[in-house]
């Protein structure tokens, strides 16, 4: 068999775009100075590779490493897979170094040889953090420097099983001329780490900075090179952090872990389900919604405020919910009530900076607006769950029964929902609402 003969060409090291001539800026990804020449490939004889039936591949049971931080293990799909490369992204101050130091320490305590390599902080700074969060295990080795080649040698010498690289944008490979953080350098650092993980069965956490747009800084292919990508979402106040998997070759991608940043490190929020409630029952414009993130159900509050304006048209301000969706529900409520809110300011918001994208919260948005307009609080302890369509109908979602179980577990006993025959009886009272008109009729 003869291999394909290709002409020499230039390839973008960031996105893989090809061009016959050298150019400064990549037309595909917009990066500058990323083109490298690919040498002309020769005709090669390729031998017949061994192929076998999938059934004949031997399986060694893969023991996942438990990081000792249940929320992190859950997001990873049940622990860290040996030889996996996990990219952890987040804005500065999100808590990446803190959480991974905690995980490194817990893994070291469980008997793994762990190396924490940092090009971001000095030994003293790292020691101070370790001291503060109580991560001072004997097996936890430290490297402070920025030369990746040294990290590789250290890993082999000390038989390291888990490596944390803080961060992929600040390390450099000595044989790559560009500076740390450049697409070329970042790609090479990541490629070398992936190779080391696969050949030596070392699990590696790569910490990555994110850009203003929220993507991991560096070449686009970075996310494709690794096995899993998790992001720290630090957009809410109150030191609350969500860890989300956006890619995972070894687990589901919709898992979310919740953490609180404290002086002694990242503390898991054991019960995020009720962490977002203010406990004030009798306010007008306040409705309880049940939102699902991954397999976790949260009960949260949706607040609305409707105020007349002196002149002109009212403003629409939506916080924490998808704006288009909330305004759509608002329009449906206007129609159902036979009212016109053009001369009113309407504010719709979640509390505690929680951001959700869950259509089942539509009914809570509708209920909170109705309560705000009428100036009457909603029935005590009721949860509103259902999607509102443009025609005003209320629909259940596919996880309705699971959510009900969560609500029962959390102690809620009244649910406004679309009329539905549920499979199992539960200690919960349904108030069926076919559409938003019916909701308005059944509310005080
Ligand atoms: N003494 C302290 N007490 C409480 N929180 C602290 C303390 N020192 C640092 N922090 C918190 O740690 C965060 C920095 O975490 P870090 O893990 O370094 O983030 P990242 O690595 O993502 O940039 C800061 O946002 C700060 O709130
Ligand atoms: Mg850091």
């Amino acid at each position: 068999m003869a291999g394909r003969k290709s002409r020499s060409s230039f390839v973008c090291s960031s996105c893989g775009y090809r061009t016959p001539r050298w150019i400064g800026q990549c037309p595909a990804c917009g990066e500058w100075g990323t083109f490298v020449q690919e040498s002309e490939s020769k005709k090669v004889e390729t031998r017949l590779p061994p192929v076998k039936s999938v059934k004949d591949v031997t399986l060694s049971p893969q023991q996942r490493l438990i990081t000792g931080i249940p929320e992190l293990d859950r997001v990873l799909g049940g622990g860290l897979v040996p030889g996996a490369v996990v990219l952890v992204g987040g804005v500065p101050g999100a808590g990446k170094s803190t959480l991974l130091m905690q995980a490194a320490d817990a893994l070291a305590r469980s008997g793994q040889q762990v190396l924490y390599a940092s090009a971001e902080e000095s030994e003293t700074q790292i020691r101070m953090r370790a001291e503060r969060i109580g991560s001072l295990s004997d097996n936890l080795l430290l490297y402070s420097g920025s030369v990746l080649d040294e990290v590789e040698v250290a890993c082999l010498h000390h038989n390291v099983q888990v490596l944390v690289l803080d961060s992929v944008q600040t390390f450099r490979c000595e044989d790559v001329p560009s500076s740390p953080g450049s697409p070329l350098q970042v790609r090479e650092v990541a490629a070398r780490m992936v190779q080391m993980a696969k050949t030596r069965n070392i699990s590696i956490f790569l910490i990555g900075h994110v850009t203003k747009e929220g993507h991991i800084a560096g070449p686009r292919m970075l996310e494709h090179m690794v096995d899993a990508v998790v992001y720290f979402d630090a957009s809410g106040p109150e030191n609350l952090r969500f860890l989300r998997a956006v890619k995972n070759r070894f687990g589901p991608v919709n898992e979310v872990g919740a953490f609180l940043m404290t002086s002694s490190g990242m503390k898991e929020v054991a019960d995020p389900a009720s962490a977002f409630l203010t406990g004030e029952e009798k306010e007008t414009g306040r409705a309880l919604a049940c939102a699902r993130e991954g397999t976790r159900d949260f009960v949260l509050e949706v607040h609305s405020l409707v105020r007349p304006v002196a002149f002109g048209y009212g403003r629409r301000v939506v916080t924490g919910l998808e704006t288009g969706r909330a305004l759509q529900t608002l329009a449906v409520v206007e129609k159902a009530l036979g009212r016109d809110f053009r001369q009113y300011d309407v504010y719709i918001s979640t509390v505690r900076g929680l951001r959700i994208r869950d259509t089942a919260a539509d009914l809570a948005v509708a209920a909170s607006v109705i309560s705000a307009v009428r100036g009457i609080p909603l029935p005590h302890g009721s949860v509103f769950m259902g999607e509102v369509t443009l025609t005003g109908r209320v629909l259940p979602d596919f996880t309705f029964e699971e959510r009900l179980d969560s609500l029962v577990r959390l102690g809620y006993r009244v649910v406004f929902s679309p009329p539905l025959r549920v499979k199992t009886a539960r200690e919960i009272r349904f108030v069926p609402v076919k559409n938003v008109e019916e909701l308005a009729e059944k509310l005080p």
Side-chain angles (χ1 to χ4, degrees):
M1 293 264 166
R4 197 171 63 93
K5 187 187 173 196
S6 74
R7 302 272 301 276
S8 113
S9 67
F10 292 83
V11 59
C12 171
S13 58
S14 174
C15 72
Y17 181 85
R18 273 169 201 283
T19 152
R21 287 179 302 109
W22 188 88
I23 45 178
Q25 187 186 19
C26 176
C29 69
E31 296 283 355
W32 286 90
T34 53
F35 279 91
V36 287
Q37 186 163 22
E38 282 211 329
S39 56
E40 205 164 311
S41 59
K42 300 240 171 63
K43 270 189 182 173
V44 283
E45 284 301 316
T46 307
R47 70 184 177 90
L48 179 69
V51 292
K52 56 171 109 167
S53 158
V54 65
K55 284 193 305 195
D56 296 337
V57 177
T58 45
L59 266 189
S60 51
Q62 243 191 1
Q63 199 71 44
R64 289 190 183 229
L65 304 175
I66 301 304
T67 66
I69 302 175
E71 294 285 297
L72 177 60
D73 286 329
R74 216 162 41 75
V75 172
L76 292 175
L80 184 60
V81 173
V85 181
V86 180
L87 184 60
V88 182
V91 296
K96 304 180 292 296
S97 305
T98 306
L99 183 71
L100 289 182
M101 175 61 89
Q102 285 174 252
D105 179 63
L107 283 162
R109 279 173 207 270
S110 75
Q112 308 289 322
Q113 188 70 272
V114 186
L115 175 64
Y116 192 102
S118 177
E120 302 238 326
E121 290 158 311
S122 68
E123 276 175 10
T124 325
Q125 284 174 309
I126 299 171
R127 162 81 203 223
M128 274 162 56
R129 176 188 291 115
E131 192 94 39
R132 177 162 57 84
I133 63 182
S135 300
L136 294 168
S137 163
D138 288 335
N139 293 354
L140 178 53
L141 305 175
L142 213 60
Y143 166 88
S144 177
S146 62
V147 184
L148 195 75
D149 311 64
E150 291 178 358
V151 174
E152 286 173 329
V153 173
C155 282
L156 301 189
H157 181 78
H158 294 284
N159 258 329
V160 166
Q161 291 153 297
V162 180
L163 167 70
V164 179
L165 199 76
D166 192 358
S167 65
V168 71
Q169 285 92 3
T170 45
F171 272 91
R172 64 188 164 82
C173 305
E174 288 198 298
D175 54 345
V176 178
S178 44
S179 54
S182 67
L184 211 59
Q185 192 65 263
V186 172
R187 188 177 80 138
E188 190 57 24
V189 169
R192 297 250 297 255
M193 289 294 97
V194 169
Q195 199 192 354
M196 186 170 77
K198 302 305 165 202
T199 54
R200 304 269 162 185
N201 212 30
I202 301 177
S203 306
I204 302 180
F205 285 107
L206 297 178
I207 295 182
H209 297 173
V210 299
T211 59
K212 281 199 288 294
E213 294 78 37
H215 302 297
I216 299 208
R220 303 228 166 143
M221 49 173 76
L222 189 55
E223 299 201 1
H224 301 293
M225 295 164 72
V226 298
D227 297 306
V229 182
V230 298
Y231 276 98
F232 255 118
D233 183 350
S235 52
E238 303 232 341
N239 302 340
L240 192 67
R241 307 281 192 267
F242 284 111
L243 191 65
R244 270 171 230 273
V246 296
K247 164 182 172 173
N248 193 350
R249 283 187 186 143
F250 309 112
V253 288
N254 50 5
E255 281 299 350
V256 174
F259 295 94
L260 220 47
M261 190 84 200
T262 72
S263 59
S264 53
M266 302 286 268
K267 290 270 179 294
E268 299 172 68
V269 181
D271 182 19
S274 58
F276 310 107
L277 298 178
T278 57
E280 291 297 329
E281 281 285 351
K282 294 206 176 56
E283 294 168 344
T284 61
R286 170 188 183 271
L288 297 181
C290 175
R292 176 161 268 243
E293 285 279 8
T295 55
R296 311 286 295 262
D297 294 316
F298 303 87
V299 174
L300 69 137
E301 295 173 18
V302 176
H303 288 194
S304 293
L305 180 64
V306 179
R307 303 290 305 153
V309 291
F311 55 86
Y313 291 125
R315 298 204 301 149
R316 303 284 178 259
V317 182
V318 179
T319 317
L321 296 147
E322 253 183 282
T323 306
R325 187 114 212 131
L327 295 185
Q328 173 181 318
T329 307
L330 175 68
V332 172
V333 171
E334 284 186 87
K335 186 172 165 225
L337 296 180
R339 300 266 311 251
D340 182 346
F341 297 152
R342 257 178 300 183
Q343 263 122 45
Y344 290 82
D345 284 335
V346 181
Y347 302 87
I348 304 172
S349 174
T350 58
V351 295
R352 307 223 151 143
L354 198 62
R355 280 189 306 160
I356 56 161
R357 272 186 320 177
D358 189 336
T359 50
D362 292 351
L363 196 63
V365 171
S368 86
V369 171
I370 292 171
S371 165
V373 170
R374 292 179 175 164
I376 304 173
L378 294 169
H380 179 82
S382 306
V383 179
F384 296 83
M385 198 158 74
E387 175 178 340
V388 173
T389 69
L390 280 178
T391 55
R393 267 209 308 147
V394 182
L395 302 178
D397 84 325
F398 300 112
T399 58
F400 190 78
E401 295 246 358
E402 292 160 45
R403 293 188 198 225
L404 280 183
D405 288 333
S406 300
L407 290 178
V408 172
R409 200 160 32 76
L410 295 169
Y412 291 93
R413 294 292 175 261
V414 185
V415 176
F416 283 70
S417 73
L420 199 72
R421 205 176 294 133
V422 291
K423 291 191 199 88
T424 29
R426 293 177 184 82
E427 257 183 71
I428 202 156
R429 186 166 73 83
F430 288 101
V431 183
V433 286
K434 266 207 313 285
N435 50 42
V436 175
E437 268 121 22
E438 219 174 275
L439 174 71
E441 279 163 27
K442 290 188 175 175
L443 288 179

